[in-house]
Amino acid sequence: MPSTVTEMAASLWKNLLQTTKDRILQILQQRRASLYIGAHGYEEELIKKKLQQFAGGSINLSKEDSGIGILTLNNPKLMNAFTGTMMLELQERVTELENWKDGKGLIIYGAGNTFCSGSDLNAVKAISNSQDGMNMCMFMQNTLTRLMRLPLISVALVQGKAVGGGAELTTACDFRLMTPGSEIRFVHKHMGLVPGWGGAARLVRIVGSGAALRLLSGAARVDPERALRLGLSEQTLSSSDETAALEEAQAWLSQYTEGPASVIRAVKKVVTAGRELPVEAALRTEKDVFGTVWGGPANLQALVRRPKHK
């Protein structure tokens, strides 16, 4: 009897430790997801209240049975410029995607056959003082960093123009697809600015420092052909029609999201770790993620299907 009680107590203690460990890891992951906290002078609730005053447009999310989500920037009368409430809604949609356990892929595109023209100038003018601008910068950097780190393979479908903040948003996706006649343009220099939503740091990692410097300092229009040469775009789609282009983008993405969600999400996690962490930490993360799929349903099924080397 004592041995049974001891074993039960040991088991309960082990479960408690594991639960506590899991909770601590969850908190640490949430903190890592946010670049800025109060210690950085970031006042999230203050900037949220200010952004709430500038309404218009929406950020819509549909989650398909295929495991592909479609995030739509919906403010076509302003070429899908981000109003204050759209910035807030983007954060809400990212949170929803973080909690979507069956998700495998994400397509971001703009309604009305154009991608995004950046920030709504009415909101920009109203928060033009330095502190508000810095808080907005930190708010959007936090949101787009969380978007980039989602365990989903993400694609920006660029139709029409992706300029300013819209160009920055494309860099928060894993891939970019462009339609004929579309363009990506970092116009910040002409506004007396540099990118503030993380677009410069991400652009350097996508195209290299020399190309990034030319695109930012020249505020150059990047058409589909040049984007392909730079490695900024994966493919130029055949159609500029909104519905047809979206179907093409879904077909393109599906080749990378085929298979169990657990495996696709694990692939994205190890790539994110390899990109962002020092090699030792990336290797440890890869080991941890490997442990979640080794001996899992997909792994066991594959072993049954392929019992011999060929």
Side-chain angles (χ1 to χ4, degrees):
M1 185 71 177
S3 126
T4 305
V5 172
T6 303
E7 288 172 2
M8 288 177 61
S11 177
L12 288 170
W13 180 245
K14 183 179 179 181
N15 289 339
L16 178 61
L17 285 176
Q18 187 60 47
T19 301
T20 304
K21 180 182 176 184
D22 290 344
R23 181 59 185 148
I24 291 171
L25 286 172
Q26 184 181 17
I27 292 169
L28 289 173
Q29 286 169 351
Q30 289 171 346
R31 286 182 178 174
R32 280 199 298 268
S34 293
L35 295 169
Y36 302 108
I37 55 176
H40 298 102
Y42 177 44
E43 299 175 288
E44 181 168 303
E45 293 309 312
L46 178 63
I47 194 62
K48 278 185 171 182
K49 286 179 182 177
K50 296 204 172 181
L51 292 173
Q52 191 68 50
Q53 299 171 23
F54 306 100
S58 62
I59 305 289
N60 307 121
L61 174 63
S62 65
K63 293 180 281 190
E64 308 294 318
D65 292 339
S66 63
I68 293 178
I70 299 176
L71 190 76
T72 309
L73 313 178
N74 186 20
N75 191 16
K77 67 179 182 180
L78 293 179
M79 292 177 59
N80 298 320
F82 271 92
T83 63
T85 54
M86 285 173 69
M87 293 182 192
L88 298 176
E89 286 186 24
L90 180 63
Q91 185 192 59
E92 293 169 4
R93 300 292 88 79
V94 168
T95 300
E96 190 176 343
L97 288 165
E98 287 172 336
N99 294 322
W100 185 27
K101 301 306 180 188
D102 298 323
K104 298 189 284 185
L106 178 67
I107 296 172
I108 301 179
Y109 86 109
N113 233 27
T114 196
F115 189 74
C116 175
S117 60
S119 302
D120 176 11
L121 292 180
N122 290 322
V124 170
K125 290 175 184 175
I127 58 171
S128 58
N129 70 75
S130 179
Q131 187 55 46
D132 284 344
M134 288 291 285
N135 273 314
M136 186 268 288
C137 166
M138 289 186 278
F139 179 84
M140 288 300 290
Q141 279 194 16
N142 271 348
T143 300
L144 294 184
T145 300
R146 288 169 58 194
L147 172 66
M148 180 178 66
R149 290 174 176 168
L150 286 170
L152 310 171
I153 299 176
S154 58
V155 176
L157 170 55
V158 181
Q159 300 164 273
K161 297 180 186 296
V163 297
E168 293 192 64
L169 175 57
T170 71
T171 67
C173 295
D174 297 312
F175 302 108
R176 284 143 295 282
L177 300 173
M178 299 179 72
T179 60
S182 63
E183 68 177 57
I184 298 173
R185 189 180 186 190
F186 295 85
V187 296
H188 304 75
K189 185 184 80 166
H190 293 322
M191 300 296 293
L193 295 169
V194 296
W197 295 359
R202 293 188 297 267
L203 183 65
V204 168
R205 284 160 173 76
I206 295 167
V207 301
S209 59
L213 187 58
R214 290 193 296 273
L215 295 183
L216 294 175
S217 62
R221 289 184 176 86
V222 182
D223 62 19
E225 184 180 354
R226 185 177 184 188
L228 283 171
R229 290 200 309 270
L230 290 170
L232 185 58
S233 172
E234 294 294 314
Q235 184 174 312
T236 304
L237 302 180
S238 62
S239 178
S240 295
D241 174 76
E242 184 172 316
T243 302
L246 186 56
E247 289 175 354
E248 277 192 76
Q250 287 176 288
W252 184 90
L253 180 56
S254 67
Q255 67 186 312
Y256 302 109
T257 57
E258 182 182 352
S262 59
V263 178
I264 305 304
R265 294 165 68 87
V267 169
K268 175 64 185 286
K269 287 175 184 176
V270 296
V271 170
T272 298
R275 179 186 64 216
E276 297 189 9
L277 300 177
V279 67
E280 293 87 353
L283 288 169
R284 287 192 291 269
T285 299
E286 186 171 319
K287 176 263 297 179
D288 292 340
V289 175
F290 177 81
T292 68
V293 291
W294 175 266
N299 178 225
L300 294 177
Q301 288 168 17
L303 291 173
V304 170
R305 288 196 306 269
R306 298 171 184 169
K308 296 180 180 179
H309 293 287
K310 293 183 179 179

PDB file of all heavy atoms in Angstrom, residues 75-98:
ATOM      1  N   ASN A  75     -10.539  47.611 -47.686  1.00  0.00           N
ATOM      2  CA  ASN A  75     -10.790  49.053 -47.645  1.00  0.00           C
ATOM      3  C   ASN A  75     -10.541  49.609 -49.052  1.00  0.00           C
ATOM      4  O   ASN A  75      -9.698  50.482 -49.256  1.00  0.00           O
ATOM      5  CB  ASN A  75      -9.862  49.724 -46.621  1.00  0.00           C
ATOM      6  CG  ASN A  75     -10.240  51.161 -46.344  1.00  0.00           C
ATOM      7  OD1 ASN A  75     -11.352  51.607 -46.667  1.00  0.00           O
ATOM      8  ND2 ASN A  75      -9.331  51.917 -45.750  1.00  0.00           N
ATOM      9  N   PRO A  76     -11.251  49.052 -50.045  1.00  0.00           N
ATOM     10  CA  PRO A  76     -10.902  49.335 -51.449  1.00  0.00           C
ATOM     11  C   PRO A  76     -11.011  50.797 -51.854  1.00  0.00           C
ATOM     12  O   PRO A  76     -10.299  51.234 -52.759  1.00  0.00           O
ATOM     13  CB  PRO A  76     -11.880  48.452 -52.237  1.00  0.00           C
ATOM     14  CG  PRO A  76     -12.979  48.122 -51.285  1.00  0.00           C
ATOM     15  CD  PRO A  76     -12.365  48.096 -49.923  1.00  0.00           C
ATOM     16  N   LYS A  77     -11.871  51.563 -51.191  1.00  0.00           N
ATOM     17  CA  LYS A  77     -12.002  52.975 -51.592  1.00  0.00           C
ATOM     18  C   LYS A  77     -10.719  53.764 -51.306  1.00  0.00           C
ATOM     19  O   LYS A  77     -10.478  54.819 -51.903  1.00  0.00           O
ATOM     20  CB  LYS A  77     -13.200  53.626 -50.897  1.00  0.00           C
ATOM     21  CG  LYS A  77     -13.065  53.782 -49.396  1.00  0.00           C
ATOM     22  CD  LYS A  77     -14.284  54.462 -48.803  1.00  0.00           C
ATOM     23  CE  LYS A  77     -14.131  54.665 -47.295  1.00  0.00           C
ATOM     24  NZ  LYS A  77     -15.306  55.318 -46.694  1.00  0.00           N
ATOM     25  N   LEU A  78      -9.875  53.252 -50.396  1.00  0.00           N
ATOM     26  CA  LEU A  78      -8.576  53.878 -50.112  1.00  0.00           C
ATOM     27  C   LEU A  78      -7.430  52.942 -50.496  1.00  0.00           C
ATOM     28  O   LEU A  78      -6.368  52.960 -49.889  1.00  0.00           O
ATOM     29  CB  LEU A  78      -8.473  54.244 -48.624  1.00  0.00           C
ATOM     30  CG  LEU A  78      -9.416  55.340 -48.113  1.00  0.00           C
ATOM     31  CD1 LEU A  78      -9.208  55.566 -46.626  1.00  0.00           C
ATOM     32  CD2 LEU A  78      -9.207  56.645 -48.879  1.00  0.00           C
ATOM     33  N   MET A  79      -7.664  52.118 -51.531  1.00  0.00           N
ATOM     34  CA  MET A  79      -6.651  51.151 -51.981  1.00  0.00           C
ATOM     35  C   MET A  79      -6.152  50.301 -50.819  1.00  0.00           C
ATOM     36  O   MET A  79      -4.974  49.986 -50.706  1.00  0.00           O
ATOM     37  CB  MET A  79      -5.487  51.863 -52.669  1.00  0.00           C
ATOM     38  CG  MET A  79      -5.847  52.502 -54.000  1.00  0.00           C
ATOM     39  SD  MET A  79      -4.474  53.413 -54.725  1.00  0.00           S
ATOM     40  CE  MET A  79      -3.233  52.137 -54.888  1.00  0.00           C
ATOM     41  N   ASN A  80      -7.093  49.941 -49.941  1.00  0.00           N
ATOM     42  CA  ASN A  80      -6.838  49.066 -48.794  1.00  0.00           C
ATOM     43  C   ASN A  80      -5.803  49.625 -47.827  1.00  0.00           C
ATOM     44  O   ASN A  80      -5.085  48.862 -47.148  1.00  0.00           O
ATOM     45  CB  ASN A  80      -6.441  47.665 -49.272  1.00  0.00           C
ATOM     46  CG  ASN A  80      -7.540  47.014 -50.075  1.00  0.00           C
ATOM     47  OD1 ASN A  80      -8.723  47.129 -49.747  1.00  0.00           O
ATOM     48  ND2 ASN A  80      -7.181  46.347 -51.164  1.00  0.00           N
ATOM     49  N   ALA A  81      -5.741  50.967 -47.737  1.00  0.00           N
ATOM     50  CA  ALA A  81      -4.880  51.589 -46.739  1.00  0.00           C
ATOM     51  C   ALA A  81      -5.348  51.195 -45.342  1.00  0.00           C
ATOM     52  O   ALA A  81      -6.538  51.019 -45.089  1.00  0.00           O
ATOM     53  CB  ALA A  81      -4.914  53.112 -46.888  1.00  0.00           C
ATOM     54  N   PHE A  82      -4.392  51.055 -44.429  1.00  0.00           N
ATOM     55  CA  PHE A  82      -4.701  50.678 -43.057  1.00  0.00           C
ATOM     56  C   PHE A  82      -5.251  51.869 -42.282  1.00  0.00           C
ATOM     57  O   PHE A  82      -4.547  52.841 -42.042  1.00  0.00           O
ATOM     58  CB  PHE A  82      -3.437  50.186 -42.339  1.00  0.00           C
ATOM     59  CG  PHE A  82      -3.194  48.719 -42.476  1.00  0.00           C
ATOM     60  CD1 PHE A  82      -2.399  48.231 -43.502  1.00  0.00           C
ATOM     61  CD2 PHE A  82      -3.754  47.820 -41.582  1.00  0.00           C
ATOM     62  CE1 PHE A  82      -2.163  46.874 -43.623  1.00  0.00           C
ATOM     63  CE2 PHE A  82      -3.524  46.460 -41.695  1.00  0.00           C
ATOM     64  CZ  PHE A  82      -2.730  45.982 -42.719  1.00  0.00           C
ATOM     65  N   THR A  83      -6.506  51.792 -41.881  1.00  0.00           N
ATOM     66  CA  THR A  83      -7.039  52.740 -40.908  1.00  0.00           C
ATOM     67  C   THR A  83      -6.601  52.276 -39.518  1.00  0.00           C
ATOM     68  O   THR A  83      -6.037  51.187 -39.349  1.00  0.00           O
ATOM     69  CB  THR A  83      -8.571  52.776 -40.963  1.00  0.00           C
ATOM     70  OG1 THR A  83      -9.073  51.473 -40.599  1.00  0.00           O
ATOM     71  CG2 THR A  83      -9.073  53.144 -42.349  1.00  0.00           C
ATOM     72  N   GLY A  84      -6.907  53.090 -38.502  1.00  0.00           N
ATOM     73  CA  GLY A  84      -6.566  52.699 -37.133  1.00  0.00           C
ATOM     74  C   GLY A  84      -7.257  51.411 -36.716  1.00  0.00           C
ATOM     75  O   GLY A  84      -6.630  50.514 -36.129  1.00  0.00           O
ATOM     76  N   THR A  85      -8.551  51.301 -37.019  1.00  0.00           N
ATOM     77  CA  THR A  85      -9.274  50.094 -36.608  1.00  0.00           C
ATOM     78  C   THR A  85      -8.810  48.869 -37.381  1.00  0.00           C
ATOM     79  O   THR A  85      -8.855  47.749 -36.867  1.00  0.00           O
ATOM     80  CB  THR A  85     -10.794  50.276 -36.773  1.00  0.00           C
ATOM     81  OG1 THR A  85     -11.089  50.693 -38.117  1.00  0.00           O
ATOM     82  CG2 THR A  85     -11.330  51.312 -35.792  1.00  0.00           C
ATOM     83  N   MET A  86      -8.333  49.049 -38.603  1.00  0.00           N
ATOM     84  CA  MET A  86      -7.783  47.909 -39.348  1.00  0.00           C
ATOM     85  C   MET A  86      -6.496  47.397 -38.701  1.00  0.00           C
ATOM     86  O   MET A  86      -6.237  46.190 -38.671  1.00  0.00           O
ATOM     87  CB  MET A  86      -7.545  48.283 -40.809  1.00  0.00           C
ATOM     88  CG  MET A  86      -8.822  48.375 -41.638  1.00  0.00           C
ATOM     89  SD  MET A  86      -8.535  49.011 -43.316  1.00  0.00           S
ATOM     90  CE  MET A  86      -7.607  47.664 -44.066  1.00  0.00           C
ATOM     91  N   MET A  87      -5.676  48.307 -38.183  1.00  0.00           N
ATOM     92  CA  MET A  87      -4.476  47.871 -37.465  1.00  0.00           C
ATOM     93  C   MET A  87      -4.864  47.030 -36.249  1.00  0.00           C
ATOM     94  O   MET A  87      -4.242  45.993 -35.976  1.00  0.00           O
ATOM     95  CB  MET A  87      -3.644  49.084 -37.030  1.00  0.00           C
ATOM     96  CG  MET A  87      -3.028  49.860 -38.176  1.00  0.00           C
ATOM     97  SD  MET A  87      -2.009  51.236 -37.566  1.00  0.00           S
ATOM     98  CE  MET A  87      -1.727  52.152 -39.089  1.00  0.00           C
ATOM     99  N   LEU A  88      -5.897  47.473 -35.538  1.00  0.00           N
ATOM    100  CA  LEU A  88      -6.364  46.717 -34.373  1.00  0.00           C
ATOM    101  C   LEU A  88      -6.934  45.365 -34.793  1.00  0.00           C
ATOM    102  O   LEU A  88      -6.689  44.341 -34.132  1.00  0.00           O
ATOM    103  CB  LEU A  88      -7.426  47.515 -33.614  1.00  0.00           C
ATOM    104  CG  LEU A  88      -6.978  48.859 -33.029  1.00  0.00           C
ATOM    105  CD1 LEU A  88      -8.163  49.579 -32.392  1.00  0.00           C
ATOM    106  CD2 LEU A  88      -5.868  48.659 -32.010  1.00  0.00           C
ATOM    107  N   GLU A  89      -7.692  45.360 -35.880  1.00  0.00           N
ATOM    108  CA  GLU A  89      -8.276  44.104 -36.352  1.00  0.00           C
ATOM    109  C   GLU A  89      -7.204  43.133 -36.836  1.00  0.00           C
ATOM    110  O   GLU A  89      -7.354  41.915 -36.683  1.00  0.00           O
ATOM    111  CB  GLU A  89      -9.297  44.363 -37.462  1.00  0.00           C
ATOM    112  CG  GLU A  89     -10.606  44.938 -36.960  1.00  0.00           C
ATOM    113  CD  GLU A  89     -11.658  45.045 -38.061  1.00  0.00           C
ATOM    114  OE1 GLU A  89     -11.571  44.300 -39.065  1.00  0.00           O
ATOM    115  OE2 GLU A  89     -12.558  45.884 -37.921  1.00  0.00           O
ATOM    116  N   LEU A  90      -6.131  43.652 -37.427  1.00  0.00           N
ATOM    117  CA  LEU A  90      -5.053  42.764 -37.861  1.00  0.00           C
ATOM    118  C   LEU A  90      -4.469  42.028 -36.658  1.00  0.00           C
ATOM    119  O   LEU A  90      -4.215  40.819 -36.721  1.00  0.00           O
ATOM    120  CB  LEU A  90      -3.958  43.555 -38.581  1.00  0.00           C
ATOM    121  CG  LEU A  90      -2.775  42.715 -39.088  1.00  0.00           C
ATOM    122  CD1 LEU A  90      -3.230  41.701 -40.139  1.00  0.00           C
ATOM    123  CD2 LEU A  90      -1.669  43.607 -39.645  1.00  0.00           C
ATOM    124  N   GLN A  91      -4.276  42.736 -35.558  1.00  0.00           N
ATOM    125  CA  GLN A  91      -3.778  42.091 -34.352  1.00  0.00           C
ATOM    126  C   GLN A  91      -4.748  40.998 -33.881  1.00  0.00           C
ATOM    127  O   GLN A  91      -4.331  39.890 -33.501  1.00  0.00           O
ATOM    128  CB  GLN A  91      -3.585  43.121 -33.231  1.00  0.00           C
ATOM    129  CG  GLN A  91      -2.957  42.529 -31.973  1.00  0.00           C
ATOM    130  CD  GLN A  91      -3.041  43.467 -30.783  1.00  0.00           C
ATOM    131  OE1 GLN A  91      -4.129  43.873 -30.368  1.00  0.00           O
ATOM    132  NE2 GLN A  91      -1.893  43.816 -30.223  1.00  0.00           N
ATOM    133  N   GLU A  92      -6.040  41.274 -33.938  1.00  0.00           N
ATOM    134  CA  GLU A  92      -7.039  40.284 -33.526  1.00  0.00           C
ATOM    135  C   GLU A  92      -7.020  39.057 -34.434  1.00  0.00           C
ATOM    136  O   GLU A  92      -7.121  37.915 -33.966  1.00  0.00           O
ATOM    137  CB  GLU A  92      -8.437  40.920 -33.533  1.00  0.00           C
ATOM    138  CG  GLU A  92      -8.627  41.995 -32.472  1.00  0.00           C
ATOM    139  CD  GLU A  92      -9.921  42.782 -32.668  1.00  0.00           C
ATOM    140  OE1 GLU A  92     -10.694  42.429 -33.589  1.00  0.00           O
ATOM    141  OE2 GLU A  92     -10.156  43.737 -31.903  1.00  0.00           O
ATOM    142  N   ARG A  93      -6.886  39.284 -35.737  1.00  0.00           N
ATOM    143  CA  ARG A  93      -6.856  38.154 -36.672  1.00  0.00           C
ATOM    144  C   ARG A  93      -5.596  37.303 -36.472  1.00  0.00           C
ATOM    145  O   ARG A  93      -5.646  36.083 -36.586  1.00  0.00           O
ATOM    146  CB  ARG A  93      -6.915  38.648 -38.117  1.00  0.00           C
ATOM    147  CG  ARG A  93      -8.134  39.443 -38.522  1.00  0.00           C
ATOM    148  CD  ARG A  93      -9.411  38.637 -38.544  1.00  0.00           C
ATOM    149  NE  ARG A  93     -10.070  38.629 -37.252  1.00  0.00           N
ATOM    150  CZ  ARG A  93     -10.818  39.624 -36.774  1.00  0.00           C
ATOM    151  NH1 ARG A  93     -10.988  40.724 -37.473  1.00  0.00           N
ATOM    152  NH2 ARG A  93     -11.397  39.503 -35.588  1.00  0.00           N
ATOM    153  N   VAL A  94      -4.468  37.951 -36.172  1.00  0.00           N
ATOM    154  CA  VAL A  94      -3.238  37.207 -35.924  1.00  0.00           C
ATOM    155  C   VAL A  94      -3.398  36.336 -34.676  1.00  0.00           C
ATOM    156  O   VAL A  94      -2.981  35.172 -34.656  1.00  0.00           O
ATOM    157  CB  VAL A  94      -2.027  38.157 -35.791  1.00  0.00           C
ATOM    158  CG1 VAL A  94      -0.803  37.417 -35.240  1.00  0.00           C
ATOM    159  CG2 VAL A  94      -1.690  38.781 -37.141  1.00  0.00           C
ATOM    160  N   THR A  95      -4.023  36.885 -33.644  1.00  0.00           N
ATOM    161  CA  THR A  95      -4.292  36.092 -32.439  1.00  0.00           C
ATOM    162  C   THR A  95      -5.161  34.887 -32.778  1.00  0.00           C
ATOM    163  O   THR A  95      -4.918  33.766 -32.310  1.00  0.00           O
ATOM    164  CB  THR A  95      -4.978  36.953 -31.365  1.00  0.00           C
ATOM    165  OG1 THR A  95      -4.118  38.046 -31.017  1.00  0.00           O
ATOM    166  CG2 THR A  95      -5.283  36.134 -30.114  1.00  0.00           C
ATOM    167  N   GLU A  96      -6.180  35.107 -33.618  1.00  0.00           N
ATOM    168  CA  GLU A  96      -7.058  34.014 -34.036  1.00  0.00           C
ATOM    169  C   GLU A  96      -6.268  32.937 -34.789  1.00  0.00           C
ATOM    170  O   GLU A  96      -6.478  31.738 -34.585  1.00  0.00           O
ATOM    171  CB  GLU A  96      -8.179  34.575 -34.913  1.00  0.00           C
ATOM    172  CG  GLU A  96      -9.289  33.590 -35.228  1.00  0.00           C
ATOM    173  CD  GLU A  96     -10.436  34.215 -36.011  1.00  0.00           C
ATOM    174  OE1 GLU A  96     -10.539  35.464 -36.051  1.00  0.00           O
ATOM    175  OE2 GLU A  96     -11.226  33.447 -36.597  1.00  0.00           O
ATOM    176  N   LEU A  97      -5.350  33.369 -35.637  1.00  0.00           N
ATOM    177  CA  LEU A  97      -4.531  32.415 -36.395  1.00  0.00           C
ATOM    178  C   LEU A  97      -3.562  31.666 -35.485  1.00  0.00           C
ATOM    179  O   LEU A  97      -3.272  30.484 -35.712  1.00  0.00           O
ATOM    180  CB  LEU A  97      -3.775  33.148 -37.504  1.00  0.00           C
ATOM    181  CG  LEU A  97      -4.638  33.613 -38.679  1.00  0.00           C
ATOM    182  CD1 LEU A  97      -3.888  34.643 -39.527  1.00  0.00           C
ATOM    183  CD2 LEU A  97      -5.074  32.433 -39.541  1.00  0.00           C
ATOM    184  N   GLU A  98      -3.054  32.342 -34.473  1.00  0.00           N
ATOM    185  CA  GLU A  98      -2.164  31.660 -33.513  1.00  0.00           C
ATOM    186  C   GLU A  98      -2.896  30.528 -32.798  1.00  0.00           C
ATOM    187  O   GLU A  98      -2.278  29.528 -32.405  1.00  0.00           O
ATOM    188  CB  GLU A  98      -1.632  32.671 -32.487  1.00  0.00           C
ATOM    189  CG  GLU A  98      -0.577  33.616 -33.046  1.00  0.00           C
ATOM    190  CD  GLU A  98      -0.204  34.725 -32.090  1.00  0.00           C
ATOM    191  OE1 GLU A  98      -1.014  35.073 -31.198  1.00  0.00           O
ATOM    192  OE2 GLU A  98       0.911  35.272 -32.236  1.00  0.00           O
TER     193      GLU A  98
END
